[in-house]
Amino acid sequence: MFIEDSSSIVYYQLTTASGTEFSVPEFILRVDAADFCGWQLRYGEWTGFADRPGPDGAAQALQLAVEEMLERVEYRGK
């Protein structure tokens, strides 16, 4: 089985409306809408990761999205 090195994933800098800066992988987007605030993984099926309660909620949700993305890249390749 061919496994692509996850280091080939491109990251971009994103600043949220609250001014928090994140380094985000190319397959994850930020969604700030009236009915959903969080991250959307767009690799394979699209999956939402809602912000967790508390001051680090967006960072925690992003961490979950990145973990899922890395599993998908390992399984499917990039």
Side-chain angles (χ1 to χ4, degrees):
M1 180 174 150
F2 176 77
I3 298 178
E4 186 78 28
D5 182 6
S6 63
S7 66
S8 65
I9 296 171
V10 176
Y11 284 73
Y12 64 96
Q13 293 301 114
L14 179 127
T15 303
T16 63
S18 66
T20 306
E21 292 187 24
F22 293 97
S23 180
V24 183
E26 62 185 312
F27 301 118
I28 298 176
L29 300 174
R30 179 74 185 163
V31 178
D32 284 312
D35 60 340
F36 180 81
C37 288
W39 304 94
Q40 187 176 64
L41 172 58
R42 293 183 176 187
Y43 189 81
E45 67 182 74
W46 291 11
T47 307
F49 294 85
D51 290 351
R52 302 290 191 227
D56 293 332
Q60 292 171 357
L62 178 58
Q63 181 61 39
L64 292 172
V66 169
E67 289 171 4
E68 177 66 23
M69 179 201 68
L70 292 174
E71 287 180 21
R72 292 181 189 186
V73 167
E74 182 177 333
Y75 174 74
R76 298 173 186 214
K78 180 174 182 265

